[in-house]
Amino acid sequence: MIEHNFPSLKNDRILKAARGEPVDRIPVWVMRQAGRYLPEFQEIRAQHDFFTVCQTPELACQVTLQPIERFDLDASIIFSDILVIPQAMGLKVEMAPGVGPVLPQPLVDPNDLSRLIQPNVNEALKYVGDAITLTRHKLNGRVPLIGFTGAPWTLMGYMIQGGGSSTMAKARSWLYKYPEDTHKLLQMITDVIVDYLVMQVKAGAQLLQVFESNGNYLDDALFTNYSFKYLKQISERVRKQLKEANIPEVPMIAFPKGATMNSLKILAMDQSYEVIGLDWTVDPIEARKQLGANVTLQGNMDPCAMYSSQDEIIARAQKMVSNFGKTRYIGNLGHGILPDTPISSMEAFIKGMHSA
Ligand code: CP3
């Protein structure tokens, strides 16, 4: 085991909630909390390109700490992006201003799989590990640090579409046209993800979240075959590798955004993830009923509800806690915070969660 001598942890609420232990107040963090809605982030972005920030541990650390310095949050998440994996596999990824990620040479058909490389993650993505280690020291034990990755199907979507898409039609067509090559691609991505998550824990990540942001494009059969199968494999292999390296396991969060209730059930019953993230379309009371008592739920206020009045945001947060219940619950939004969200809304949301 690598000895980092990290400062001891002062706030472990999110770890307790993930493991199903009682907490004195609801732990809260916000997806995309280190980002564009913060003026201090804008200042850094005005001077540096997006991926330069990701690749420079001092900058990534600084941006990760920005929301922690401003707000009473119970977790931090390392500043990076899910698309560093396609990059490490040899695809060019650019962050186009006002557009989002662009992959100018996407995978068109299975012949293009030969363009992908199986990187040595410890070298190609070392900068993420270094950012994590540095951030653990700078956090000084204030809150745990979350590491993350995109899930295979979500990354495959970007690799084939060449960027965001409202239909994912090209990527979904692969599932029917090239099922075998789809599995080959998903397996290649999965192998990279497993090494990447293990590296993040070795570097100091105390929780891991897997973003299946494109879960909404799959019916239950497709979810089972192309998403769940690999999510389960990721969890099992990461835990096994950590055990073999004599490193304590960390809780894992799966966020299958837009997955159907049946798909969520498949994931919950399997128990390969301690925590399931829910988007805002899922009813908290129904989710509790359907997903059983052995999983922690995370979420799920509509990011757009952050545009209501502060009093309303506080009331919504409190209502959410009473609907989810105070055990096995982690407060969050149902997707990433939007770029022009008022800072005062973040304060109200956290206040509401903590006062519930
Ligand atoms: O949560 C955090 O604060 C940590 C950093 C983080 C970023 N991206 C930084 C970022 C995390 C966890 C992500 C995950 C991510 N990236 C996901 C999964 C979560 C989700 O939203 O579903 C996805 C799909 C991506 C891909 C991506 N990166 C998109 C679609 C975009 C453009 C839209 C957007 O949200 O800005 C990005 C760019 C990006 N990633 C920015 C940030 C701060 C803004 C880029 C900029 O500064 O110009």
Side-chain angles (χ1 to χ4, degrees):
M1 160 119 201
I2 325 112
E3 213 32 86
H4 290 297
N5 286 317
F6 289 132
S8 57
L9 187 58
K10 297 169 198 135
N11 173 352
D12 64 351
R13 286 186 187 95
I14 190 169
L15 300 179
K16 284 185 166 153
R19 297 193 180 106
E21 296 162 20
V23 284
D24 58 344
R25 73 177 199 201
I26 300 297
V28 53
W29 69 285
V30 169
M31 288 187 276
R32 305 295 200 98
Q33 66 190 20
R36 292 193 302 192
Y37 69 105
L38 290 176
E40 55 270 37
F41 173 75
Q42 287 305 346
E43 252 172 64
I44 293 199
R45 277 287 281 117
Q47 297 162 34
H48 309 276
D49 159 78
F50 178 76
F51 285 111
T52 303
V53 181
C54 296
Q55 289 159 7
T56 313
E58 291 72 24
L59 291 175
C61 169
Q62 196 183 338
V63 172
T64 302
L65 294 177
Q66 285 174 345
I68 304 305
E69 257 128 43
R70 236 186 217 272
F71 308 113
D72 188 14
L73 291 158
D74 296 290
S76 56
I77 178 161
I78 192 66
F79 185 81
S80 186
D81 198 82
I82 63 167
L83 298 172
V84 299
I85 288 188
Q87 246 174 9
M89 294 178 79
L91 292 183
K92 193 168 175 183
V93 184
E94 290 157 355
M95 206 50 83
V99 177
V102 175
L103 292 79
Q105 287 115 26
L107 308 177
V108 177
D109 64 44
N111 289 326
D112 288 324
L113 296 185
S114 65
R115 282 169 37 209
L116 296 177
I117 53 167
Q118 213 59 13
N120 176 337
V121 167
N122 292 321
E123 287 168 14
L125 294 167
K126 180 177 186 292
Y127 62 87
V128 179
D130 290 345
I132 287 174
T133 305
L134 178 64
T135 304
R136 271 296 297 277
H137 284 292
K138 294 272 162 130
L139 271 169
N140 200 19
R142 278 175 281 182
V143 292
L145 178 59
I146 303 172
F148 72 90
T149 181
W153 156 245
T154 292
L155 293 178
M156 170 183 161
Y158 281 96
M159 290 161 86
I160 291 173
Q161 298 292 148
S165 159
S166 58
T167 62
M168 283 290 148
K170 288 180 190 158
R172 278 193 293 136
S173 302
W174 269 56
L175 308 182
Y176 299 93
K177 284 203 285 196
Y178 318 119
E180 272 175 35
D181 289 300
T182 294
H183 281 299
K184 201 167 139 195
L185 172 58
L186 291 171
Q187 189 60 57
M188 283 176 84
I189 301 170
T190 298
D191 292 346
V192 179
I193 288 173
V194 169
D195 288 351
Y196 183 45
L197 292 179
V198 169
M199 182 203 72
Q200 292 189 46
V201 176
K202 286 182 178 170
Q206 291 154 296
L207 246 110
L208 297 171
Q209 174 152 322
V210 182
F211 286 92
E212 187 69 288
S213 304
N214 291 342
N216 54 321
Y217 299 101
L218 305 176
D219 65 22
D220 295 330
L222 295 177
F223 178 81
T224 304
N225 197 14
Y226 294 110
S227 172
F228 170 67
K229 179 178 173 188
Y230 296 96
L231 290 173
K232 181 179 171 70
Q233 193 191 126
I234 288 165
S235 159
E236 287 175 351
R237 286 173 61 193
V238 167
R239 289 175 210 272
K240 183 161 174 272
Q241 283 197 29
L242 291 174
K243 205 170 171 190
E244 283 166 4
N246 229 349
I247 295 168
E249 259 187 25
V250 302
M252 294 180 72
I253 307 167
F255 175 51
K257 183 181 166 284
T260 71
M261 186 60 88
N262 275 332
S263 293
L264 292 171
K265 247 188 195 165
I266 291 165
L267 189 62
M269 295 309 148
D270 183 64
Q271 293 188 24
S272 42
Y273 289 78
E274 286 86 349
V275 186
I276 296 183
L278 303 173
D279 69 70
W280 68 94
T281 66
V282 180
D283 179 70
I285 294 172
E286 193 57 22
R288 276 291 182 215
K289 226 190 277 171
Q290 301 279 341
L291 303 182
N294 293 320
V295 69
T296 295
L297 300 178
Q298 172 176 285
N300 72 343
M301 195 171 88
D302 186 345
C304 290
M306 295 288 259
Y307 298 104
S308 49
S309 73
Q310 291 186 52
D311 285 348
E312 219 172 308
I313 293 168
I314 292 172
R316 279 180 191 280
Q318 291 170 335
K319 181 83 170 35
M320 230 167 54
V321 176
S322 76
N323 286 346
F324 275 109
K326 289 195 178 186
T327 48
R328 293 220 87 141
Y329 176 55
I330 297 168
N332 206 318
L333 300 180
H335 198 196
I337 187 167
L338 292 163
D340 55 357
T341 303
I343 302 283
S344 54
S345 297
M346 262 299 261
E347 285 157 356
F349 180 66
I350 296 165
K351 191 170 160 192
M353 299 298 311
H354 281 165
S355 62

